[in-house]
Amino acid sequence: MHEATTSIDAYTDAPHLLAEMTWVTDQVATHASGTRLSREFWLRKAALLDRLAIREAEEEGIPEAMAEADTLAARAAHRLAQYDRERGGGPFATSNGPIPPDSPLWDPSYRPYVRQEYAAWRRMTAA
C-alpha cells in the first residue's frame, strides 16, 4: 500500500475556499474560446472540489448533497489524471508527485492523486 498524501497534508496552507473558487471561475471567464485550460486550472479545480466534498462529509450534510459533492470531486480528479496521462512521462511530464497518474495504486479513486499533486504544486510555488 502506498503512503497517500492526506487531505490535511495537502490542504493545510491552501488558500481559503472562496479565494480558490474565485480563481477557478476567473480562469473560465477569461479563457479564450478554442484554447486549452492550463494544468494549474485542472489541478486547482480538482483540489477545490475535493476540499468541498471533504467539508460536506465533515458537516454530515444531506446525503444527496454529499453524494453529489463526491461525484463532482471524483470527476475532476479523473480529469486531472487524464490530463497528466495524456502528457506522459519524461521531460514533458506534467505530474509532480512521486506516484504517476497511471499507477494502479489510484484505483478506485484519483482524489488522493489530486492531493499528492496539489501538495507538490504548493511546495513548488511556495518558493
Side-chain angles (χ1 to χ4, degrees), residues 38-124:
S38 68
R39 180 183 192 267
E40 182 180 359
F41 168 80
W42 295 112
L43 173 63
R44 290 176 75 172
K45 177 184 175 183
L48 170 64
L49 291 171
D50 186 45
R51 291 170 64 193
L52 290 170
I54 291 166
R55 186 173 184 169
E56 187 69 31
E58 287 172 350
E59 293 178 1
E60 297 181 22
I62 301 166
E64 293 82 12
M66 290 170 43
E68 184 176 354
D70 279 342
T71 299
L72 291 172
R75 284 182 186 160
H78 182 269
R79 179 63 184 95
L80 174 67
Q82 178 184 16
Y83 183 97
D84 287 346
R85 277 193 315 272
E86 288 171 355
R87 278 134 190 92
F92 300 108
T94 53
S95 62
N96 297 302
I99 304 171
D102 56 357
S103 172
L105 296 173
W106 302 122
D107 188 37
S109 173
Y110 287 104
R111 286 177 65 189
Y113 177 73
V114 170
R115 295 172 196 149
Q116 168 191 275
E117 294 299 305
Y118 191 80
W121 175 77
R122 293 282 298 158
R123 284 190 300 274
M124 290 173 32

Side-chain angles (χ1 to χ4, degrees), residues 6-17 20 51 118-119 121-123 125-126:
T6 67
S7 59
I8 293 169
D9 294 336
Y11 304 134
T12 296
D13 296 326
H16 190 276
L17 285 171
E20 285 296 86
R51 291 170 64 193
Y118 191 80
W121 175 77
R122 293 282 298 158
R123 284 190 300 274
T125 58

